[in-house]
């Protein structure tokens, strides 16, 4: 107690008084290191890249790079190609995680082991996942061997070096994140709500549809956004198990090609900015839906 009073010098007391008069909570000062970290590692590089995108290497005005991107079909189509991969992968991961996480919320035999198996792909990385897909879905892989053994096909089903190989990779690597996030959101829903509905005679489907799902929907929207960002930034698997020059020529490959092969860092920054804008548009749409679902789940309050 004495040491605490001793530390409360007039200067410190005056500083606290000034902060209190200005409505500044001293606890907020603890955020300063985090803010500095974000500015140094995110905000400054982003602003630098944004400025660089308006300095085209070939001249032609500040918007020349953007005009060139949308004028060339090979570059412009990367947006659609990446969305064709990112949106289905994120949607499949979210939809697949819901029933599994819902079942795992209750008492399940071997729950820890099952959870560990489901999240193992996080530790594998993109390269190992791609190698596994090649070994399993390749022309001489187990999947095609089983199909031929069952006389379901005469030749190999092409599931790698195309769209499907990349989609499988995104689902395998993205599902653990969706599963863990969905599980955490489900754990925040009060189980007494479902118990009360059960006492009133509601079946499991009615309880899930009218109680759990509306409360879970805002969390699912955030899960979709995070898994979509992971899928939309696909790069290694689009090369290893895809067709990077055609069907899986995603926008990240275009950015790397411009900056690392053509040494046009301005164009690479432009493509990165376009990539960020597309992701933000999709996220904004999902969060708008999330807001409506939240108001519906809470009776229009908030």
């Amino acid at each position: 107690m004495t040491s605490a009073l001793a530390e409360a010098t007039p200067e410190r007391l005056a500083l606290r008084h000034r902060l209190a008069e200005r409505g500044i909570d001293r606890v907020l000062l603890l955020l300063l290191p985090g803010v500095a970290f974000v500015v140094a590692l995110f905000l400054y590089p982003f602003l630098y890249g944004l400025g660089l995108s308006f300095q085209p290497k070939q001249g032609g005005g500040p918007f020349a790079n953007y005009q060139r991107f949308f004028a060339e079909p090979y570059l412009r189509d990367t947006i659609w190609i990446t969305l064709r991969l990112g949106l289905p992968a994120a949607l499949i991961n979210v939809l697949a995680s819901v029933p599994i996480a819902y079942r795992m919320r209750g008492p399940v035999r071997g729950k820890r082991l099952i959870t560990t198996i489901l999240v193992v792909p996080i530790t594998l990385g993109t390269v190992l996942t791609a190698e596994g897909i090649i070994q399993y879905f390749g022309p001489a892989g187990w999947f095609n061997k089983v199909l031929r053994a069952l006389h379901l096909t005469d030749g190999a089903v092409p599931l790698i070096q195309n769209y499907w190989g990349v989609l499988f990779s995104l689902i395998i690597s993205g599902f653990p994140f969706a599963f863990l996030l969905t599980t955490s959101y489900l754990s925040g829903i009060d189980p007494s709500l479902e118990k009360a509905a059960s006492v009133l005679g509601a079946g499991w489907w009615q309880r899930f549809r009218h109680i759990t799902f509306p409360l879970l929907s805002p969390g699912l929207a955030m899960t979709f956004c995070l898994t979509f960002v992971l899928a939309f930034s696909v790069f290694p698997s689009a090369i290893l198990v895809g067709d990077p020059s055609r069907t899986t020529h995603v926008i990240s490959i275009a950015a790397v090609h411009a900056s690392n092969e053509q040494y046009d860092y301005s164009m690479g920054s432009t493509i990165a900015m376009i990539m960020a804008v597309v992701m933000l548009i999709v996220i904004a749409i999902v969060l708008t839906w999330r807001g409506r679902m939240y108001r519906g789940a809470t009776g229009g309050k908030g």
Side-chain angles (χ1 to χ4, degrees):
M1 184 71 176
T2 303
S3 60
L5 293 174
E7 291 178 358
T9 61
E11 292 79 5
R12 292 185 178 182
L13 291 175
L15 177 61
R16 294 176 184 177
H17 182 68
R18 288 196 298 271
L19 292 175
E21 287 181 342
R22 297 178 182 179
I24 301 176
D25 189 348
R26 289 181 301 142
V27 177
L28 295 178
L29 297 177
L30 298 175
L31 296 176
L32 291 179
V35 172
F37 182 83
V38 171
V39 170
L41 295 184
F42 174 75
L43 187 59
Y44 171 75
F46 174 79
L47 294 177
Y48 178 80
L50 180 62
L52 188 62
S53 69
F54 295 112
Q55 304 172 28
K57 181 180 179 181
Q58 301 175 359
F63 297 99
N65 283 335
Y66 293 92
Q67 294 173 352
R68 175 188 164 194
F69 179 89
F70 289 103
E72 296 184 13
Y74 190 64
L75 292 176
R76 184 180 64 244
D77 291 346
T78 58
I79 297 177
W80 167 241
I81 291 173
T82 313
L83 286 174
R84 281 187 66 237
L85 286 166
L87 290 174
L91 185 61
I92 291 172
N93 283 330
V94 172
L95 293 179
S97 68
V98 173
I100 300 176
Y102 184 76
R103 181 65 183 89
M104 295 289 289
R105 186 174 59 161
V108 177
R109 186 176 182 180
K111 184 175 182 178
R112 292 184 179 180
L113 177 61
I114 296 174
T115 303
T116 302
I117 293 173
L118 291 175
V119 300
V120 158
I122 292 179
T123 66
L124 299 179
T126 306
V127 175
L128 283 178
T129 301
E131 290 182 356
I133 290 175
I134 293 173
Q135 293 295 324
Y136 189 81
F137 291 110
W142 300 342
F143 183 77
N144 277 298
K145 288 181 178 178
V146 171
L147 292 181
R148 286 193 293 267
L150 297 175
H151 302 288
L152 297 177
T153 180
D154 295 330
V157 178
L159 294 175
I160 62 170
Q161 309 306 322
N162 54 23
Y163 170 87
W164 296 108
V166 182
L167 182 63
F168 293 151
S169 176
L170 293 177
I171 293 173
I172 293 172
S173 59
F175 174 78
F177 293 98
F179 170 72
L180 292 175
L181 288 171
T182 303
T183 300
S184 66
Y185 286 120
L186 275 171
S187 65
I189 298 176
D190 190 353
S192 63
L193 297 174
E194 290 189 73
K195 291 181 180 178
S198 178
V199 171
L200 294 174
W204 75 268
W205 172 245
Q206 291 176 311
R207 298 195 302 268
F208 177 81
R209 179 182 177 185
H210 297 290
I211 298 176
T212 306
F213 184 72
L215 295 174
L216 181 62
S217 294
L220 292 180
M222 296 302 300
T223 302
F224 178 88
C225 289
L226 293 175
T227 52
F228 169 74
V229 170
L230 289 174
F232 194 80
S233 58
V234 57
F235 178 73
S237 59
I239 296 176
L240 296 173
V241 292
D243 182 15
S245 63
R246 294 186 297 174
T247 57
T248 62
H249 185 243
V250 293
I251 194 169
S252 59
I253 292 179
V256 172
H257 177 73
S259 59
N260 291 2
E261 297 181 19
Q262 297 178 343
Y263 299 102
D264 189 346
Y265 301 110
S266 177
M267 189 62 190
S269 298
T270 299
I271 297 174
M273 293 300 112
I274 294 173
M275 183 178 179
V277 169
V278 173
M279 286 192 290
L280 289 175
I281 290 174
V282 173
I283 291 173
I285 294 172
V286 175
L287 292 184
T288 300
W289 173 81
R290 175 185 181 271
R292 293 179 179 177
M293 290 298 298
Y294 180 79
R295 288 191 293 271
T298 56
K301 297 179 181 181

